[in-house]
Amino acid sequence: MSEFSRRDLLKSSALISSAIGLAGCAADNPSPAQPPNIIVLVTDDQRWDMLGAAGNPLIQTPHMDRLATEGVLFQNHFVTTSLCAPSRTSIFTGLYASCHGTHDFATPMSEDLHERSYPGRLRAAGYRTGFVGKYGVGRTLPQDKFSYFEGFSGQGQYLHEVEGESRHLTGMIGDQALEFLETCDGETPFCLSVSFKAPHVQDRVAPFFINDPEFDELYEDVEIPPFKKLDPRYFEGLPDFLKDGYEGRVRQQRRFPTAETWQAAMKRYYRLITGVDVQVGRILAWLDESGLGGNTVIVFTSDNGFFLGERGWAGKYFIHEESIRAPLIVWDPRSRKRMGRRCTEMTLNLDIAPTVLELAGLEIDPSTNGMSVVPLLDGASPPWRTEWFYEFLWQREGIPIPRTEGIRSERWKYNVYLDGQPGYEELYDLEADPEEETNLANSADHQNELERLRSRRQAWKDSLAGWHPGEPWADPA
């Protein structure tokens, strides 16, 4: 084990020990007289299975695991569009991309969207709000929309020279998060949004997943088992328009074309996530030491999943589980009911904004597409979604990534391509085929289900097309 690993695991043990005191003080129900502080942590391209608490036996994420052990881990969390900017806008606003209007990287949030976003609502309600890291929505930075803003536009660079010292962006973001926390007065409630670039690639810059050099030895003595769908037969079975001309294939060939380059890339990807975990640990340590941890809620998630060579692809974009499933943890030490729970309900990136608002005691706009998960935190079984709509409508000249739309239910997944081979459909029975290996769209035995899901897709499109801000919206499912 590397020296870093020993230090970090010792620190993790100390943090968990101090957390027992917080757990012992937790009430059965949070006090409505004390608005909680709220921290929203968002990673970039970290899929759901890249977390120790999610069952990954190799990745070192002790502080994320602490959040899951002491909080609520949502095991079926998804994004409604697997692209950074649209998903981040959905996280801020609780709206589908069809409603907030962001399908690309250039479109900024409007004044109305800023006002309805969870940071906008909380600031208007008296919270001190902060944003740190990759803003990722449009090219204009909204410094005036937050009490404290240290964000950057675009993708940013991982390695920086700061006063003659080499620094990694992940640690710099951690420094800025602590700078915000240390200037909080302990009386005014705060909401801090921390948006990491990691573990996103550094586009077109080898070795692409650029970790902090401090962690270069981490995982060096580990052999990461190849994923099942790295087998060439998954790529060979694809339609031609999703093979060599598709951008995801181009990126896979650029980043990890061989078993050796895949192994090296995966270790760097793991190191980037562990690097974020260290910053999560710094935040938890500050909460423990400041005495504010007992009244602070942390929401941890990622903006989308990521193909790590499965089906011969790199990136995200499509409705397959690797692309759309992300982690979601809510850590709320104010209540014993909210400690150590696992939820299997399907939650969405749309749910984060209404959840934050309810945690803060604010009303949720009836036109919000998402649902607050607060009832699930307490073990309730409210009426919950049984299906949801997926949309990927980004287009950019010279980058061949087909647009798609689909339906994901508890059992079925339906997808239709709007470009490349327009009308090409996929249908998967997730109960019988969780790996999505057999496309049933042309199966004579499944035509009734295919027609039903086609109709569901149209019902969703009609519902979202009729959405208006401020007017009540009902989930068409």
Side-chain angles (χ1 to χ4, degrees):
M1 181 182 290
S2 71
E3 184 60 30
F4 161 75
S5 303
R6 294 190 187 95
R7 291 200 315 269
D8 197 51
L9 288 174
L10 286 171
K11 184 190 296 182
S12 176
S13 298
L15 286 171
I16 290 172
S17 296
S18 67
I20 294 173
L22 285 176
C25 297
D28 288 329
N29 293 291
S31 170
Q34 297 178 305
N37 306 308
I38 300 171
I39 301 175
V40 180
L41 305 175
V42 180
T43 56
D44 196 323
D45 291 358
Q46 180 183 0
R47 58 194 223 184
W48 88 100
D49 56 349
M50 296 298 156
L51 193 68
N56 189 312
L58 298 178
I59 199 163
Q60 295 186 29
T61 54
H63 305 105
M64 298 176 193
D65 297 345
R66 172 187 166 184
L67 295 179
T69 299
E70 298 173 11
V72 181
L73 174 65
F74 292 86
Q75 297 173 311
N76 290 293
H77 181 69
F78 302 92
V79 299
T80 53
T81 182
S82 193
L83 191 67
C84 297
S87 182
R88 288 165 185 269
T89 308
S90 293
I91 289 171
F92 278 132
T93 64
L95 297 176
Y96 274 99
S98 289
C99 299
H100 62 60
T102 296
H103 296 288
D104 57 26
F105 297 97
T107 303
M109 286 173 56
S110 67
E111 188 70 26
D112 288 344
L113 287 176
H114 276 294
E115 289 180 2
R116 77 172 291 145
S117 70
Y118 76 78
R121 290 284 309 281
L122 266 61
R123 190 180 188 190
Y127 270 72
R128 181 171 185 254
T129 60
F131 182 90
V132 169
K134 175 184 173 181
Y135 181 63
V137 180
R139 299 189 177 100
T140 304
L141 295 176
Q143 292 98 326
D144 61 330
K145 306 301 181 187
F146 295 84
S147 310
Y148 174 100
F149 188 89
E150 286 291 347
F152 57 87
S153 61
Q155 293 292 352
Q157 301 292 318
Y158 274 126
L159 299 180
H160 296 258
E161 284 292 324
V162 180
E163 298 180 351
E165 180 185 2
S166 178
R167 295 295 310 280
H168 193 272
L169 179 61
T170 302
M172 295 170 66
I173 290 172
D175 291 347
Q176 292 163 343
L178 290 175
E179 180 179 286
F180 170 87
L181 293 172
E182 288 165 357
T183 54
C184 293
D185 60 17
E187 297 181 2
T188 304
F190 65 79
C191 177
L192 172 63
S193 300
V194 183
S195 180
F196 295 96
K197 172 182 171 68
H200 195 287
V201 297
Q202 190 72 62
D203 287 326
R204 300 183 182 276
V205 179
F208 307 109
F209 298 103
I210 301 176
N211 60 265
D212 189 328
E214 179 184 352
F215 304 148
D216 278 348
E217 295 182 7
L218 194 63
Y219 305 112
E220 276 303 292
D221 57 349
V222 170
E223 184 76 12
I224 299 173
F227 304 152
K228 178 181 180 181
K229 280 177 274 188
L230 296 179
D231 189 309
R233 68 185 176 89
Y234 289 93
F235 175 73
E236 292 161 1
L238 294 170
D240 288 343
F241 76 100
L242 294 176
K243 288 186 175 179
D244 294 332
Y246 161 54
E247 181 68 14
R249 177 61 171 178
V250 172
R251 297 184 184 194
Q252 182 271 336
Q253 289 290 288
R254 182 188 300 145
R255 296 169 187 169
F256 28 79
T258 67
E260 292 75 22
T261 55
W262 181 85
Q263 190 72 214
M266 285 299 301
K267 291 178 181 180
R268 289 191 291 268
Y269 181 80
Y270 276 33
R271 290 175 194 137
L272 282 166
I273 293 173
T274 297
V276 173
D277 187 78
V278 170
Q279 306 312 314
V280 175
R282 294 177 69 194
I283 292 170
L284 285 168
W286 185 89
L287 290 174
D288 290 341
E289 293 163 6
S290 69
L292 296 181
N295 193 41
T296 299
V297 180
I298 296 179
V299 179
F300 177 88
T301 191
S302 186
D303 59 1
N304 45 246
F306 200 74
F307 289 107
L308 289 161
E310 292 94 343
R311 302 178 189 271
W313 297 337
K316 46 261 188 178
Y317 320 123
F318 295 153
I319 199 173
H320 295 292
E321 300 291 279
E322 294 87 354
S323 175
I324 62 173
R325 284 185 72 182
L328 176 63
I329 303 169
V330 179
W331 181 82
D332 186 353
R334 299 176 303 156
S335 170
R336 293 188 184 93
K337 291 181 180 179
R338 299 176 181 179
M339 293 183 175
R341 190 178 298 282
R342 298 292 179 267
C343 286
T344 58
E345 287 87 350
M346 292 191 295
T347 56
L348 303 175
N349 53 352
L350 316 175
D351 298 337
I352 291 170
T355 297
V356 169
L357 294 177
E358 182 168 353
L359 287 167
L362 302 181
E363 291 186 6
I364 299 169
D365 188 312
S367 63
T368 301
N369 303 139
M371 303 167 65
S372 169
V373 306
V374 169
L376 301 179
L377 298 179
D378 293 324
S381 300
W384 202 254
R385 66 174 60 88
T386 56
E387 68 176 29
W388 50 275
F389 181 69
Y390 181 79
E391 53 186 338
F392 179 86
L393 301 179
W394 181 51
Q395 285 186 302
R396 182 174 173 183
E397 186 176 354
I399 299 184
I401 302 175
R403 297 172 302 154
T404 66
E405 292 178 343
I407 297 292
R408 208 289 192 182
S409 73
E410 293 170 311
R411 176 175 178 180
W412 297 97
K413 182 178 291 185
Y414 168 75
N415 187 47
V416 60
Y417 289 84
L418 309 180
D419 304 309
Q421 186 176 320
Y424 180 81
E425 294 174 300
E426 294 173 297
L427 176 67
Y428 299 102
D429 181 348
L430 300 174
E431 186 176 287
D433 179 26
E435 296 283 352
E436 302 170 69
E437 297 181 278
T438 304
N439 181 6
L440 301 172
N442 293 322
S443 165
D445 294 336
H446 293 86
Q447 291 308 295
N448 288 340
E449 189 61 40
L450 183 66
E451 286 295 335
R452 186 186 73 82
L453 290 168
R454 285 171 177 165
S455 297
R456 296 304 306 146
R457 172 198 168 217
Q458 190 58 52
W460 275 92
K461 286 174 65 67
D462 292 344
S463 177
L464 294 173
W467 177 88
H468 293 288
E471 295 183 6
W473 181 84
D475 187 314

